[in-house]
Amino acid sequence: MVVTGTPATRQRLTLAPDPRRVIIKLFVPGEDAAVAHTRAHDLVDRIADLDPDETELLLRRTLHDFGDRHRDLEGTFQHHYELVRHRVTRTRQLSPTARLLVGAYFSHEFAVEAAALCNPSMVAHPDQSALRPGQLRVAVSLRQIGEGHLSSIGFASAVLGPGSHLAVQGRPGPLVTGRPGHVQHRRDLLAAGLREEGWDNEVSATVLATLPEHYDEAEFERALGDLPPDLLYRHTTPDTLEQLRRTSAASYAVEFPADTLLHERVLWPATAAESNGMEDARFVRYVDDAGTPTYRATYTAYDGQRIAPRALTSDDLRHFRIDPMRGPGTRNKGIALFPRAVGGRHLALCRSDGETIGLTALADDNTWRAPVPLHGPRRSWELIQVGNCGSPIETDAGWLVLTHGVGPMRRYAIGALLLDLHRPERVIAELPGALLAPDDTEREGYVPNVVYSCGALLHGDLLWLPYGASDARVGFATVPLAPLVEAMVQGRSS
């Protein structure tokens, strides 16, 4: 039986998936079929055969119908034309208008959250201007799921307070997926990735030895090109070089125009490892020893077969850097970073065995160590597995950890632990029952019988808990902190 002495109060306001939130993707007709080249080639020929007046009218109509839904539509069409121009055998016959029209035919809209919207986390917004006393503006990260169960990371902005008042800003388009940014790669992450994947050999060791601690793409390619001949022509070298490129490319950067609003920004899959989705981002506002804040997050990259943990950093939620996470503490899903160092250690919650909440620490080589178990499945509502619901929240009583547990009929509920502030390896209190479980209005959805969060926030004396309800919508709940802690202390021996 699921019980709790501290009920959460649900807000009436919710966020539902909005199919009007669309981006433009490259579309190659028949690209999944054996005759892909023929279909695309013939389409370009048919466009080239159109009357110039019809070409002009068709492009103008397309720009009119879709121009207010996207930024720089002509630029996108030109870019998509450049991507498929190798299929164009009559390039000289194509006017600039016809080339834009080719780009339009090789484009399509994708509704980023047409299937589901879920698994939010909440952090203080970079902009705290124009607020009344008792208010806090927050950034809410969202898992957006579109056609083909393809996940991306989106955002919303909201204002908390005074008291339990909540206001969520609208989320109109147009959406922007950002552009690649410059990134300095890390040699230690490359080395750790090669070790994990079993590519520690003479070729990879030679490349690593010639790379500086931080390197760019040009330095990386020079290191590959400078391989000695006796290594270059080994039969295993081509596969090793491919793996080196794939592992190095796991780190990248993306940035958004300065005039975009937070809810217009979409972190979209950019590497092969995340080609089938970027799932369950857990954001936290991290403060270093000098008091400098940054935004950090973890998420799960999915390529359709394998999952891989990723770390994200940003100073302003406009420029983002993505890096792989390595080491035994990062196996499986659900990693959540602490908001500051504890006793000089960088810590994270994890679930490397798939069913137990653990604590892992960052080693000197930038890998996450084997975890210390904190809490396993033992109560009726969590017997299948447990995990965290976001980063620990610092309170005077200890580190508050929201958990999720899975019970009969794969029903998800949210619980809570309290960790020692100075020795987080110690669980000092536990809520005896669930804090939040699906009610009758939250049972139905894309994934039934689930409430799940990727990160709550403490504002004043209230814990603000955003959560996904059966992947049908995002809800918000509040819990008074003092009664919650008291209920956990009372339940320590239960």
Side-chain angles (χ1 to χ4, degrees):
M1 180 178 180
V2 179
V3 295
T4 176
T6 306
T9 301
R10 289 170 167 83
Q11 295 275 330
R12 292 184 178 180
L13 192 154
T14 60
L15 285 177
D18 186 350
R20 296 171 298 178
R21 289 174 57 80
V22 293
I23 62 173
I24 300 180
K25 290 178 60 182
L26 179 68
F27 169 64
V28 181
E31 65 181 347
D32 57 348
V35 293
H37 177 80
T38 302
R39 284 193 60 187
H41 181 272
D42 290 345
L43 171 59
V44 173
D45 281 347
R46 290 193 289 269
I47 297 170
D49 289 336
L50 290 174
D51 178 87
D53 290 339
E54 184 177 5
T55 299
E56 176 72 31
L57 177 62
L58 189 52
L59 177 63
R60 189 163 62 247
R61 183 179 301 160
T62 303
L63 293 173
H64 174 270
D65 291 345
F66 293 90
D68 62 347
R69 294 162 66 92
H70 304 281
R71 282 185 169 228
D72 190 18
L73 195 56
E74 288 193 36
T76 301
F77 289 165
Q78 182 65 41
H79 175 61
H80 285 182
Y81 167 76
E82 297 296 336
L83 294 179
V84 301
R85 66 180 301 172
H86 65 286
R87 303 178 187 271
V88 181
T89 57
R90 298 158 60 180
T91 303
R92 293 181 181 178
Q93 298 178 16
L94 291 179
S95 67
T97 298
R99 294 177 186 183
L100 288 177
L101 191 58
V102 168
Y105 273 98
F106 282 83
S107 302
H108 77 118
E109 288 188 329
F110 181 90
V112 294
E113 58 190 53
L117 187 70
C118 56
N119 301 356
S121 70
M122 182 184 285
V123 291
H125 197 287
D127 178 15
Q128 295 296 322
S129 63
L131 295 176
R132 302 197 308 272
Q135 290 186 322
L136 176 72
R137 183 173 290 112
V138 295
V140 182
S141 71
L142 301 162
R143 179 182 176 186
Q144 310 170 140
I145 307 177
E147 178 185 351
H149 199 75
L150 181 56
S151 297
S152 58
I153 300 171
F155 299 95
S157 296
V159 175
L160 314 181
S164 60
H165 184 264
L166 169 68
V168 178
Q169 181 182 337
R171 300 186 299 136
L175 305 185
V176 181
T177 56
R179 56 178 179 263
H182 177 74
V183 62
Q184 283 282 312
H185 298 271
R186 296 183 53 160
R187 185 181 60 198
D188 56 358
L189 283 178
L190 177 60
L194 293 169
R195 287 195 304 270
E196 283 190 354
E197 297 294 333
W199 291 91
D200 186 7
N201 57 36
E202 290 80 9
V203 172
S204 61
T206 300
V207 172
L208 287 169
T210 60
L211 286 173
E213 182 178 355
H214 296 90
Y215 63 91
D216 59 21
E217 292 295 331
E219 290 170 315
F220 179 68
E221 289 300 327
R222 280 198 298 270
L224 299 186
D226 288 343
L227 273 177
D230 51 346
L231 290 179
L232 187 60
Y233 298 111
R234 299 181 68 180
H235 72 280
T236 59
T237 296
D239 289 340
T240 302
L241 295 178
E242 180 182 352
Q243 185 65 35
L244 277 159
R245 287 192 171 95
R246 185 184 301 117
T247 305
S248 183
S251 292
Y252 67 94
V254 63
E255 58 188 43
F256 295 86
D259 61 345
T260 56
L261 299 174
L262 181 62
H263 68 265
E264 297 173 337
R265 301 168 192 164
V266 175
L267 290 171
W268 186 255
T271 67
E274 57 195 28
S275 56
N276 274 55
M278 306 165 72
E279 303 178 356
D280 299 347
R282 287 161 159 81
F283 275 80
V284 66
R285 186 174 181 270
Y286 181 90
V287 180
D288 65 17
D289 293 339
T292 304
T294 57
Y295 294 96
R296 297 188 180 184
T298 63
Y299 68 88
T300 301
Y302 181 52
D303 67 1
Q305 293 182 322
R306 300 190 306 171
I307 59 173
R310 292 291 183 263
L312 181 153
T313 58
S314 176
D315 291 332
D316 53 8
L317 298 183
R318 186 168 78 86
H319 301 82
F320 297 87
R321 177 189 170 102
I322 289 85
D323 288 298
M325 301 181 74
R326 305 294 186 185
T330 65
R331 293 168 188 153
N332 215 297
K333 298 182 178 182
I335 301 165
L337 303 170
F338 276 62
R340 64 170 176 85
V342 181
R345 297 180 298 164
H346 297 279
L347 303 175
L349 301 174
C350 63
R351 194 182 64 189
S352 58
D353 68 352
E355 63 178 25
T356 304
I357 299 174
L359 181 74
T360 179
L362 191 64
D364 292 339
D365 63 354
N366 211 44
T367 61
W368 292 90
R369 295 171 175 156
V372 175
L374 294 178
H375 177 75
R378 60 189 184 86
R379 298 184 182 273
S380 61
W381 58 276
E382 60 177 14
L383 284 182
I384 293 178
Q385 68 189 46
V386 293
N388 70 72
C389 276
S391 294
I393 299 168
E394 187 169 5
T395 74
D396 291 340
W399 293 104
L400 176 63
V401 175
L402 297 180
T403 68
H404 68 264
V406 186
M409 293 296 291
R410 194 176 172 265
R411 184 174 187 258
Y412 277 66
I414 296 175
L417 302 173
L418 202 62
L419 309 181
D420 186 282
L421 272 180
H422 307 291
R423 294 177 55 203
E425 298 87 350
R426 292 183 59 233
V427 178
I428 59 176
E430 173 189 352
L431 194 66
L435 179 64
L436 190 75
D439 66 16
D440 289 342
T441 68
E442 296 168 338
R443 294 187 59 186
E444 318 300 340
Y446 191 59
V447 182
N449 305 306
V450 171
V451 289
Y452 190 96
S453 179
C454 287
L457 178 146
L458 188 63
H459 176 50
D461 60 356
L462 284 181
L463 177 70
W464 285 85
L465 172 60
Y467 64 96
S470 296
D471 289 4
R473 61 187 181 277
V474 170
F476 300 87
T478 57
V479 185
L481 178 63
L484 172 58
V485 172
E486 179 63 23
M488 294 173 70
V489 171
Q490 293 173 351
R492 290 176 63 182
S493 60
S494 61

